[in-house]
Amino acid sequence: MALPAALALGWLLVASNPAVKYKASARVESVTRTPLLTETANSTVLSDILLAPRLESTLYTNRLEVKLIYEPQFLVRQFTTRPNLELLQAVYTRADYKIRRDLTLLAVHTTTYGTFPFDNQGLASGPTGPTTGGGPVTPTARVGTAYIYSETAAGFMTTLGIKRLSVAGTLGWVVNGLLTDPPVRPVRRGNAAYPLQRYPELRVQSYYGATRRDYFTLSLYGRDVSFSTANRSSVLQFAPGWQHYFSPLLDVSVDPGLAVGAMYPRLGGPAEAVVMPTLETTLNTPVPLGNHWPVRAKLRMRYLPYIDPLTTQLIPRGDVGVNLEWKGRRDAKVTGTLRYAHALTHGIHRNDAETTAEVEALWPLPLSRYLFAQAKGQLTWTHHVVIDPAPVVQWYTSLGLVVRYDRGRL
């Protein structure tokens, strides 16, 4: 009887333990790029090395699901005569608890802290004016680039007992910007320092399937942003919408709405009210390329209020973009993005515009299920009233190797 009892006890222990699945990966990239707006370089083309291990785990029970992701990025950056090591750490956690079939509570926390590779957060390094000798000011090395993005939110997902209805909402707190000596006054021309932002954020979305092909949507988004420069901006967006599926791969959505808000001056005084219509349209469609794995395209046009991260002004902004994605066997993937955004205002931001083109390919190596080759490329054209009177062009390319390992049970 001892063996059956031991087997029964072992089965109970295994059955009582939650199912766990984990994925470990690491990537090494060799990056070639132009100098960023926030760093000083002795050359027009730089070479960096990026090492990024990643651990992802998911825990399952009948009612609870917990997901954890941790990814540090070690970057050997060469923008001075001596290369230096910079670290960026990212943590993501999410917990979903199902109270009953039609009600789930969720909690999310994510924090990314350190020096953001290839982004322009930090202190500006461009010249700001002539010296007493008549020559330009020598740019200083980039300092004070400890940057953080942290978000903590709690919310729910429910059907309210109504068939084909889904409602989800979250209320969170966000901290975003420089932690080391953030600017406390409005920035001037040539200074690309990002102020620190703190704000509550509300998101509510609902979907109702009127038919098998038509869905009615409703979204509510609001935040009240306080900047380290003592500026403050509040905005609330309300947008009902409609989505129609022509086929499982082809659909179109239209979301007109209204945004109301206020901009509060730095030194007190009456607030400036903002009322503007909003519009977002999206088309998801396959592209007739490939046989078994077609290319999927997503075209999107938007007209929304935009808080400029440098001047902290709330302005209307329009953008149009297209995303392309191809997925093949063994997790092979190629993605591309092209986006253009322009400020639609008569103020100081009237000429601000940005164009971004990105491409990324992930390809499994032969004779191995764990090794992938990765290639990336990005080109950015930016015209901003604060950064420089002339447009700034930046680019970077990278070649890397990715190692993946999956294990666990569900």
Side-chain angles (χ1 to χ4, degrees), residues 343-354:
L344 303 177
T345 179
H346 297 290
I348 62 173
H349 290 283
R350 62 186 179 275
N351 295 322
D352 288 1
E354 181 181 15

Side-chain angles (χ1 to χ4, degrees), residues 53-193:
R54 178 186 177 97
L55 177 63
E56 178 178 340
S57 62
T58 307
L59 178 147
Y60 297 85
T61 67
N62 292 334
R63 292 180 177 268
L64 179 66
E65 177 180 332
V66 180
K67 186 173 185 178
L68 171 65
I69 300 176
Y70 175 63
E71 180 179 349
Q73 296 184 12
F74 302 91
L75 179 69
V76 181
R77 190 187 294 269
Q78 180 191 349
F79 65 87
T80 60
T81 55
R82 296 179 57 186
N84 70 322
L85 178 65
E86 297 180 354
L87 174 63
L88 174 72
Q89 300 185 72
V91 177
Y92 173 84
T93 58
R94 171 169 174 162
D96 292 50
Y97 183 74
K98 183 177 293 186
I99 296 181
R100 56 177 187 265
R101 177 179 296 181
D102 64 341
L103 179 59
T104 301
L105 300 181
L106 60 93
V108 180
H109 175 78
T110 178
T111 296
T112 304
Y113 172 79
T115 302
F116 278 45
F118 321 128
D119 286 345
N120 287 316
Q121 293 89 345
L123 299 183
S125 62
T128 58
T131 61
T132 55
V137 172
T138 302
T140 58
R142 187 173 70 169
V143 295
T145 54
Y147 196 93
I148 188 172
Y149 178 86
S150 178
E151 180 178 355
T152 303
F156 66 91
M157 295 182 293
T158 182
T159 64
L160 298 177
I162 302 175
K163 188 178 180 180
R164 293 185 296 188
L165 175 67
S166 176
V167 182
T170 59
L171 179 63
W173 177 256
V174 180
V175 179
N176 180 21
L178 283 171
L179 283 183
T180 306
D181 298 328
V184 295
R185 295 179 177 84
V187 295
R188 300 177 179 178
R189 183 178 296 277
N191 186 357

Side-chain angles (χ1 to χ4, degrees), residues 60-328:
Y60 297 85
T61 67
N62 292 334
R63 292 180 177 268
L64 179 66
E65 177 180 332
V66 180
K67 186 173 185 178
L68 171 65
I69 300 176
Y70 175 63
E71 180 179 349
Q73 296 184 12
F74 302 91
L75 179 69
V76 181
R77 190 187 294 269
Q78 180 191 349
F79 65 87
T80 60
T81 55
R82 296 179 57 186
N84 70 322
L85 178 65
E86 297 180 354
L87 174 63
L88 174 72
Q89 300 185 72
V91 177
Y92 173 84
T93 58
R94 171 169 174 162
D96 292 50
Y97 183 74
K98 183 177 293 186
I99 296 181
R100 56 177 187 265
R101 177 179 296 181
D102 64 341
L103 179 59
T104 301
L105 300 181
L106 60 93
V108 180
H109 175 78
T110 178
T111 296
T112 304
Y113 172 79
T115 302
F116 278 45
F118 321 128
D119 286 345
N120 287 316
Q121 293 89 345
L123 299 183
S125 62
T128 58
T131 61
T132 55
V137 172
T138 302
T140 58
R142 187 173 70 169
V143 295
T145 54
Y147 196 93
I148 188 172
Y149 178 86
S150 178
E151 180 178 355
T152 303
F156 66 91
M157 295 182 293
T158 182
T159 64
L160 298 177
I162 302 175
K163 188 178 180 180
R164 293 185 296 188
L165 175 67
S166 176
V167 182
T170 59
L171 179 63
W173 177 256
V174 180
V175 179
N176 180 21
L178 283 171
L179 283 183
T180 306
D181 298 328
V184 295
R185 295 179 177 84
V187 295
R188 300 177 179 178
R189 183 178 296 277
N191 186 357
Y194 280 54
L196 182 66
Q197 308 174 25
R198 300 177 184 269
Y199 55 92
E201 185 176 62
L202 172 67
R203 294 179 181 269
V204 180
Q205 290 184 319
S206 66
Y207 300 86
Y208 176 70
T211 67
R212 296 180 61 182
R213 294 181 179 270
D214 295 282
Y215 288 80
F216 293 106
T217 63
L218 184 66
S219 63
L220 181 67
Y221 172 73
R223 59 179 178 174
D224 183 9
V225 186
S226 298
F227 298 90
S228 59
T229 56
N231 296 71
R232 181 184 165 197
S233 297
S234 301
V235 63
L236 180 66
Q237 299 172 220
F238 174 79
W242 167 73
Q243 186 175 16
H244 178 75
Y245 284 84
F246 298 94
S247 72
L249 297 178
L250 178 62
D251 66 89
V252 62
S253 63
V254 181
D255 300 273
L258 181 69
V260 295
M263 295 187 298
Y264 300 90
R266 180 173 180 268
L267 300 178
E272 179 182 352
V274 176
V275 179
M276 60 172 289
T278 65
L279 178 63
E280 182 171 354
T281 60
T282 304
L283 173 65
N284 293 290
T285 178
V287 179
L289 295 174
N291 296 323
H292 302 287
W293 302 278
V295 176
R296 302 191 64 176
K298 179 178 181 180
L299 299 102
R300 184 173 65 178
M301 293 186 297
R302 299 189 301 175
Y303 175 71
L304 296 171
Y306 172 73
I307 298 180
D308 187 270
L310 293 177
T311 61
T312 69
Q313 290 194 7
L314 183 64
I315 58 176
R317 190 186 195 195
D319 69 71
V320 58
V322 56
N323 296 340
L324 301 174
E325 182 182 57
W326 176 85
K327 289 184 178 180

